[in-house]
Amino acid sequence: MDIETKSDDRRTDRTTRTRGVALSAVRGLALTPISLVGSVLFFCLTIVSVSLVPIGIGLVTTPWVLTGVRAFADWRRLLAAEWGGVRIQRAYRPLPANANPWARTFGMLGDPATWRDFVWLPVDMTAGTVTALLAFVLPLYPLEGFAIAAGLWRVLPDGYWYGFVRVTDQTSAFYAAGLGAVLLLVTLWLTPRMLHAHFRLTGAVLGSGQGQLAERVRVLTETRRDAVDTSAAELRRIERDLHDGAQARLVAMGMDLGTIEALLEKNPEKARELLAQARQSSADALTELRELVRGIHPPVLAERGLGDAVRALALRLPVTVEVEVDLPGRAEAPVESAGYFAVSEILTNAVKHSGADRIWIDMHHTEGYLRVAVTDNGKGGAVIGAGSGLAGVERRLGTFDGVLAVSSPAGGPTMVTMEIPCALS
């Protein structure tokens, strides 16, 4: 029985390794045109746009181009985390919400992360493309040796070289198959590492390098300031809602009750009418207070956790929403709150601006990260820009070292992915 179990385990390991090599090859094939075409395109656009800054045209085009470069880099950061297990910190400096084209252009050009992106583009189009292509080509080369032994040598030119084996007949074709078998063993080890090298190269250039600690301190300072500003704005919103909503209704209800007291004996009919009005005002005030409490911290979030809170949120939307949750526990309350309101903001944007009629939400926890992906079938075109709702979501997540990535080509679909480091209880 033990021998059978060990044999099954070895067979399972071989199957897993083979699948890993095949998956790495497919991913390498997908990354090759992405690295080459995408990086060349954005590199050329950046050079042209920046060169046009002195004549004024670049002041308009450069923020858009650099925003596209950042979205492209964010997408590659996401692929590096999901496909290669390489996490690359996003450390762009925030821009003022109402910045003019001049401030936006030179604010982005003055950001060290922008120049890391610019240096990464030529590295990605050369070394990045080669490493991705090798991850795809390496598993194919041993197969050529087997194909030669199976009879392919007959249609090949005389004296064809496979590696260091010169193929002239069936015997030398078998030698080629033997070399292919050796290369296949090497490929099983090398192919996943080539793909990992591709992502490590991306991380080495896009990462903060020697200034990582200083960059980290700067990001923490900015996210702390954003958190304080957000809390102050939230308090002002609560005060405004209480003053203009529930408080005004309660004052009006008190005035109605005073009038009812005066009319109770003189005009009972009018008193009953005002009493019904006061009852309705009390019900409206209670409803507004409940909505206010839900906006501060939804009861379902506190009682049942993030997954059920997002499901309840989806039920209130006017479009079809599919929610898939795989959370084996609960995160800390601040993390759950940040995740809930981030999802709420993204869903609100999708309903208002995307024109989508279907939304998918996938929420799971893996490798110490809470990952949430919100996808809609709308018209696309969403970007993380100053003053947008997504910029606010990014600042909220940054307080918890979370990251936000957006993929939204023209015509859709739009996919917004969030990652927040946390542990589940």
Side-chain angles (χ1 to χ4, degrees):
M1 185 67 178
D2 290 339
I3 295 177
E4 292 179 359
T5 301
K6 291 180 180 178
S7 177
D8 291 341
D9 290 342
R10 284 195 295 270
R11 192 158 47 245
T12 301
D13 290 342
R14 285 196 297 269
T15 302
T16 302
R17 192 179 300 112
T18 302
R19 288 178 179 173
V21 172
L23 185 60
S24 297
V26 172
R27 288 173 172 174
L29 177 62
L31 283 169
T32 299
I34 292 172
S35 296
L36 182 59
V37 178
S39 296
V40 169
L41 175 63
F42 281 113
F43 183 73
C44 294
L45 287 175
T46 302
I47 290 179
V48 172
S49 183
V50 173
S51 66
L52 294 176
V53 168
I55 63 175
I57 298 176
L59 294 176
V60 178
T61 60
T62 298
W64 291 99
V65 171
L66 293 182
T67 299
V69 172
R70 292 182 177 188
F72 182 61
D74 285 340
W75 183 38
R76 300 296 293 280
R77 288 183 179 94
L78 184 62
L79 292 181
E82 293 185 348
W83 288 3
V86 177
R87 305 196 177 279
I88 307 171
Q89 183 69 31
R90 188 182 194 273
Y92 297 112
R93 294 178 180 176
L95 296 172
N98 298 318
N100 57 40
W102 179 279
R104 285 179 58 80
T105 298
F106 287 97
M108 298 179 83
L109 290 177
D111 189 346
T114 298
W115 295 103
R116 285 195 295 270
D117 289 349
F118 184 71
V119 171
W120 166 70
L121 290 173
V123 173
D124 189 51
M125 73 176 72
T126 53
T129 300
V130 170
T131 52
L133 183 61
L134 285 175
F136 169 67
V137 171
L138 285 176
L140 297 181
Y141 193 60
L143 301 181
E144 182 185 352
F146 300 142
I148 290 173
L152 181 63
W153 68 274
R154 300 180 186 277
V155 299
L156 294 175
D158 293 338
Y160 180 82
W161 286 90
Y162 176 74
F164 56 81
V165 176
R166 189 168 183 266
V167 181
T168 57
D169 54 19
Q170 188 62 53
T171 301
S172 57
F174 284 136
Y175 291 151
L179 177 59
V182 174
L183 292 177
L184 183 61
L185 294 177
V186 176
T187 296
L188 291 174
W189 177 84
L190 189 58
T191 297
R193 284 164 176 78
M194 288 304 302
L195 187 67
H196 187 71
H198 172 88
F199 293 123
R200 294 286 295 180
L201 178 65
T202 301
V205 182
L206 285 182
S208 300
Q210 295 181 350
Q212 186 171 7
L213 182 58
E215 190 77 7
R216 176 68 177 148
V217 171
R218 182 191 63 77
V219 171
L220 287 175
T221 302
E222 291 178 352
T223 54
R224 182 186 63 183
R225 183 177 64 248
D226 289 338
V228 172
D229 292 343
T230 300
S231 297
E234 189 71 9
L235 285 175
R236 289 193 297 270
R237 182 188 69 83
I238 294 171
E239 292 173 354
R240 185 177 63 253
D241 290 347
L242 283 173
H243 182 271
D244 297 340
Q247 178 178 323
R249 292 188 182 278
L250 291 174
V251 170
M253 187 173 63
M255 295 174 63
D256 288 342
L257 290 175
T259 305
I260 291 169
E261 185 179 4
L263 295 175
L264 197 57
E265 294 183 357
K266 298 178 181 179
N267 192 346
E269 192 66 29
K270 183 64 175 179
R272 279 193 295 270
E273 182 181 337
L274 291 176
L275 190 60
Q277 183 177 328
R279 186 188 303 113
Q280 183 61 42
S281 295
S282 67
D284 292 341
L286 183 59
T287 300
E288 290 186 0
L289 287 173
R290 286 172 176 169
E291 290 295 329
L292 184 61
V293 170
R294 187 180 292 113
I296 299 172
H297 194 79
V300 67
L301 179 63
E303 295 170 4
R304 305 190 61 177
L306 181 59
D308 286 339
V310 170
R311 289 191 182 99
L313 181 64
L315 290 175
R316 298 200 298 269
L317 296 179
V319 299
T320 302
V321 182
E322 295 182 14
V323 182
E324 184 172 342
V325 178
D326 183 16
L327 298 178
R330 294 191 59 174
E332 295 180 352
V335 174
E336 286 191 334
S337 180
Y340 174 84
F341 286 107
V343 172
S344 176
E345 179 67 27
I346 292 170
L347 291 177
T348 300
N349 285 348
V351 171
K352 286 184 177 180
H353 307 299
S354 72
D357 59 10
R358 199 171 190 87
I359 300 175
W360 296 266
I361 303 174
D362 178 66
M363 182 181 302
H364 61 278
H365 185 273
T366 180
E367 299 178 357
Y369 282 78
L370 171 66
R371 290 196 179 100
V372 184
V374 181
T375 307
D376 67 65
N377 62 350
K379 60 185 179 182
V383 294
I384 304 176
S388 73
L390 291 177
V393 172
E394 185 180 40
R395 289 194 298 271
R396 182 187 290 271
L397 297 180
T399 308
F400 300 89
D401 290 340
V403 296
L404 179 74
V406 178
S407 173
S408 184
T414 296
M415 182 176 183
V416 182
T417 306
M418 298 172 284
E419 280 193 354
I420 309 175
C422 66
L424 299 186
S425 59

